[in-house]
Amino acid sequence: MRTSYRRLTTVLGLAAASASVLALGTAPAQAAGYVFDAYNALSSPSAKTEFAQDGEILYALDIKSDGHGVVAQWRYNSSSAVHSYYHGGGFGTVGKWDLSFAEGTTLQIRACLQDTSNGSPYSCGGWEYAKA
């Protein structure tokens, strides 16, 4: 009886240790995959910009069927140089751009509307902070 009790506690101990290692091993990956959001308006938004920390991907989402294209903008923390990425695919579509920043870089993102690729962004939302 004593031997089977030892085996059971050993097996349970190994299972608990394995579960702990798995949980601790996945926690940093989940934290690194944070997604930052910005909208062009607080009420009834029609454009959304997302920055995915994991992979440093910038997305422009057209979330309203209004005939306008969308723009994802980013800049380094409070810089005057603004980078714009236009997406005119229409409602329900997503533009995607693979960017590259040094780990821990602080940037700001926002969403805007734009009617053509050579047009100008308008109806932009406020700047939201993001971190690479």
Side-chain angles (χ1 to χ4, degrees):
M1 287 279 229
R2 197 161 182 83
T3 303
S4 59
Y5 176 75
R6 271 191 170 154
R7 283 187 189 147
L8 179 61
T9 56
T10 302
V11 169
L12 291 174
L14 287 173
S18 298
S20 297
V21 168
L22 288 174
L24 291 174
T26 58
Q30 291 170 347
Y34 195 79
V35 176
F36 299 89
D37 298 327
Y39 294 89
N40 74 314
L42 293 177
S43 63
S44 188
S46 51
K48 179 180 179 183
T49 294
E50 290 183 354
F51 178 75
Q53 200 176 42
D54 188 20
E56 297 165 351
I57 307 293
L58 186 71
Y59 298 95
L61 297 84
D62 191 332
I63 58 174
K64 190 172 186 181
S65 182
D66 58 7
H68 302 294
V70 295
V71 173
Q73 291 188 326
W74 71 269
R75 67 182 181 184
Y76 288 107
N77 186 18
S78 302
S79 170
S80 61
V82 176
H83 306 270
S84 293
Y85 295 89
Y86 170 75
H87 176 69
F91 171 66
T93 63
V94 179
K96 176 183 171 184
W97 299 272
D98 190 0
L99 306 178
S100 181
F101 299 101
E103 192 71 24
T105 299
T106 299
L107 58 138
Q108 293 177 301
I109 60 171
R110 72 177 177 181
C112 305
L113 297 178
Q114 185 171 317
D115 290 328
T116 62
S117 60
N118 60 354
S120 296
Y122 64 94
S123 293
C124 298
W127 289 102
E128 301 292 335
Y129 283 94
K131 194 166 201 164

